[in-house]
């Protein structure tokens, strides 16, 4: 547990710190033109890593993907930290994405193999809690390191630390989680990797096309949709996109809540700065409490006395998320106190903490041993794909309506209309999440 949580802690810190260090890195490497690729490269290769880890875990257990993933992630950190040009830096980010994708799926399978069912909610709650400190302190620490030691140490420093969790958990991991493939496991499926590559490339094209609002952007966006949509239909379990009862609806629910809530959080600081006149620091405080209460929700779902009510509480928690999405943009109204989003997001983060961990528990419960890795990979792929599609769509709409993500000093840029459209889209997705939550329980669960 210590090794798993420490590994997630460091991966989470890198995810939170990169945004702070990126401007300095891009400027030093004369790579502002490739700025977006430093983010999309991570996402694209993480999708491949997730699918590969799913198959690898089902056929050989999670030890290999964990060790390989940490090794590849560390190599990517070294490559980015030592990069002398932006292309090398982006290549390092791609390696980090592949390693992170391998590790996150493999650690879920570790929970499936090592922990008894009664302890799995607590284990996944610990995984969620590992994001709290990075979400609160990651950007601050990265800023201090960048200013006083240089941006390279944001990457090189983590490289040294990430080896320690592996040394801690490898011996017990080999004893408890290694072994022959699960009975009934299928042979390695190269077709799944091809589908994952199509989804990853399509998602990357969507991100690239959504960076700038011009007619030529329609070409990569159309190509991305043509690649990603049919591949995702075949890659995810049958019935996912129609939220069929049981496992498909569980995976779809994860994607819906992630897309809706990520959009809500992403645009809030900009809205507070441009529409209510707060400073960047003041606007960031609205997000600061989120990590702690998210962990609180994760902890609550792990309590044994709540286990019989898991399906009911999943439905209730999605309503909390919907409330947060609907109530947060009310701050656009001058009469609404500027601290209101801190309260509404806190309520939504409690719902997210409960739902995200519970969805992980349900995926492991509804998976046969030989399918656990593949299903966990599908869960993570749906989450990541939902985020990029949602943010690309609302980002393009925001720009089309005159919004600007660089309007920090120009309070007249954009206008409330652009934010209203963004949050209306998030609300529609959140409503779909509430409807999908009602289909998570199978007929047997409902009868019970």
């Amino acid at each position: 547990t210590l090794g798993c949580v420490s590994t997630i802690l460091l991966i989470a810190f890198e995810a939170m710190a990169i945004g702070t260090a990126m401007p300095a890195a891009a400027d030093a490497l004369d790579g502002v033109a490739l700025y977006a690729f430093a983010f999309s490269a991570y996402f694209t290769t993480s999708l491949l890593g997730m699918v590969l880890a799913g198959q690898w875990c089902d056929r050989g257990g999670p030890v290999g993907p964990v060790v390989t993933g940490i090794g590849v992630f560390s190599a990517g950190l070294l490559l980015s930290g030592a990069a002398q040009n932006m292309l090398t830096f982006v290549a390092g980010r791609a390696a980090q994405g592949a390693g992170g994708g391998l590790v996150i799926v493999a650690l879920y399978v570790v929970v499936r193999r090592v922990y008894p069912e009664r302890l799995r909610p607590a284990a996944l709650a610990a995984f969620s809690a590992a994001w709290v400190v990075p979400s609160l302190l990651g950007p601050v620490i990265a800023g201090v390191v960048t200013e006083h030691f240089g941006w390279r140490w944001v990457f090189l420093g983590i490289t040294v630390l990430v080896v320690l969790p592996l040394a801690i958990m490898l011996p017990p991991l080999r004893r408890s989680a290694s072994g022959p493939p699960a009975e009934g496991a299928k042979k390695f499926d190269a077709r799944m990797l091809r589908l994952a590559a199509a989804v990853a490339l399509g998602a990357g094209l969507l991100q690239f096309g959504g960076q700038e609002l011009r007619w030529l952007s329609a070409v990569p966006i159309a190509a991305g949709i043509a690649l990603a949509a049919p591949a995702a239909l075949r890659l995810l379990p049958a019935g996912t996109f129609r939220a069929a009862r049981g496992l498909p609806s569980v995976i779809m629910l994860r994607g819906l809540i992630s897309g809706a809530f990520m959009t809500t959080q992403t645009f809030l600081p900009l809205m507070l700065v441009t529409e209510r006149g707060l400073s960047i620091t003041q606007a960031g405080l609205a997000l600061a409490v989120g990590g702690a209460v998210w962990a609180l929700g994760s902890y609550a779902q792990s309590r044994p006395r709540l286990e019989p009510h898991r399906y009911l509480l999943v439905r209730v928690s999605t309503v909390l998320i919907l409330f947060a999405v609907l109530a947060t943009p009310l701050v656009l109204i001058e009469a609404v106190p500027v601290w209101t989003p801190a309260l509404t997001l806190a309520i939504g983060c409690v719902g997210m903490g409960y739902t995200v961990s519970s969805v992980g528990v349900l995926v492991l419960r509804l998976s046969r041993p030989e399918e656990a890795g593949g299903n966990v990979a599908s869960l993570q792929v749906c989450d990541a794909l939902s985020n990029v599609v949602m943010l690309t769509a609302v980002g393009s709409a925001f720009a089309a309506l005159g919004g600007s993500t660089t309007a920090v000093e120009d309070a007249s840029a954009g206008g409330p209309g652009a934010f209203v459209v963004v949050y209306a889209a998030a609300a529609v997705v959140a409503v779909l999440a509430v409807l999908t939550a009602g289909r998570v329980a199978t007929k047997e669960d409902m009868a019970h």
Side-chain angles (χ1 to χ4, degrees):
T1 301
L2 177 61
C4 290
V5 171
S6 299
T7 299
I8 293 177
L9 178 75
L10 292 170
I11 292 176
F13 178 83
E14 189 272 344
M16 296 295 106
I18 180 65
T20 303
M22 266 306 302
D27 181 62
L29 299 175
D30 193 24
V32 176
L34 296 177
Y35 190 93
F37 287 99
F39 296 92
S40 61
Y42 184 100
F43 171 77
T44 300
T45 55
S46 70
L47 285 173
L48 289 172
M50 291 169 187
V51 175
L52 175 60
Q55 294 204 52
W56 193 347
C57 289
D58 287 341
R59 288 150 188 80
V63 177
V66 168
V67 175
T68 303
I70 291 177
V72 173
F73 183 77
S74 300
L77 290 170
L78 282 173
L79 192 60
S80 290
Q84 299 302 310
N85 57 69
M86 195 62 175
L87 285 176
T88 304
F89 183 89
V90 170
R93 289 288 294 158
Q96 293 164 45
L102 283 168
V103 170
I104 193 64
V105 170
L107 291 183
Y108 268 73
V109 178
V110 167
V111 173
R112 175 68 172 79
R113 281 204 174 199
V114 175
Y115 295 81
E117 185 168 356
R118 64 183 179 81
L119 290 181
R120 290 173 192 166
L124 295 183
F127 286 8
S128 292
W131 283 83
V132 175
V133 173
S135 66
L136 294 175
L137 301 180
V140 176
I141 295 174
V144 172
V145 171
T146 300
E147 289 181 6
H148 294 279
F149 301 100
W151 63 268
R152 296 183 185 277
W153 286 102
V154 173
F155 299 92
L156 298 177
I158 302 176
T159 306
V160 177
L161 297 175
V162 81
V163 178
L164 298 177
L166 180 61
I168 292 171
M169 69 176 162
L170 189 55
L173 192 63
R174 282 176 169 165
R175 290 194 301 268
S176 304
S178 60
E183 185 178 351
K186 300 176 183 178
K187 294 182 179 180
F188 194 84
D189 189 353
R191 173 177 169 273
M192 295 295 287
L193 287 183
R194 290 195 295 271
L195 291 174
V199 170
L201 180 57
L205 288 171
L206 282 173
Q207 284 188 316
F208 175 70
Q211 295 299 314
E212 296 185 24
L213 190 64
R214 52 181 182 172
W215 287 110
L216 287 177
S217 298
V219 176
I221 289 175
I225 293 173
L227 275 172
L233 284 171
R234 294 173 175 83
L235 185 63
L236 299 176
T240 296
F241 290 99
R242 56 183 175 84
R245 284 201 179 277
L247 182 65
S249 60
V250 173
I251 291 174
M252 188 62 183
L253 177 61
R254 173 67 174 269
L256 291 172
I257 62 170
S258 182
F261 202 71
M262 176 65 73
T263 300
T264 301
Q265 287 187 309
T266 299
F267 282 85
L268 176 60
L270 182 66
M271 182 169 63
L272 291 175
V273 170
T274 59
E275 302 302 322
R276 295 302 299 266
L278 298 187
S279 68
I280 295 175
T281 301
Q282 290 171 330
L285 292 176
L287 304 178
V289 73
V293 293
W294 189 312
L296 180 63
S298 297
Y299 172 79
Q301 64 80 37
S302 70
R303 299 299 86 198
R305 65 178 178 274
L306 294 181
E307 183 60 38
H309 311 292
R310 184 169 298 279
Y311 290 103
L312 173 62
L313 290 173
V314 165
R315 293 195 290 272
V316 172
S317 61
T318 54
V319 173
L320 296 180
I321 296 168
L322 174 60
F323 168 80
V325 175
L326 291 174
T328 296
L330 293 178
V331 75
L332 287 169
I333 302 171
E334 286 292 333
V336 175
V338 292
W339 49 261
T340 301
L343 175 61
T344 59
L345 276 188
I347 293 172
C349 281
V350 171
M352 285 294 290
Y354 189 93
T355 307
V356 169
S357 295
S358 287
V359 162
V361 171
L362 293 175
V363 165
L364 296 178
R365 178 185 298 172
L366 296 171
S367 300
R368 294 195 295 270
E370 70 274 13
E371 296 177 340
N375 289 338
V376 169
S378 294
L379 180 73
Q380 300 295 336
V381 167
C382 189
D383 184 315
L385 191 59
S386 173
N387 282 336
V388 71
V389 170
M390 188 71 180
L391 290 175
T392 298
V394 299
S396 299
F398 184 75
L401 293 169
S404 173
T405 56
T406 60
V408 174
E409 296 182 358
D410 183 8
S412 64
F419 290 106
V420 169
V421 170
V422 167
Y423 280 94
V428 170
V429 176
V431 169
L432 292 176
V434 171
L435 297 176
T436 301
R439 300 183 59 79
V440 166
T442 63
K443 292 181 180 179
E444 292 76 11
D445 294 318
M446 294 172 69
H448 176 69

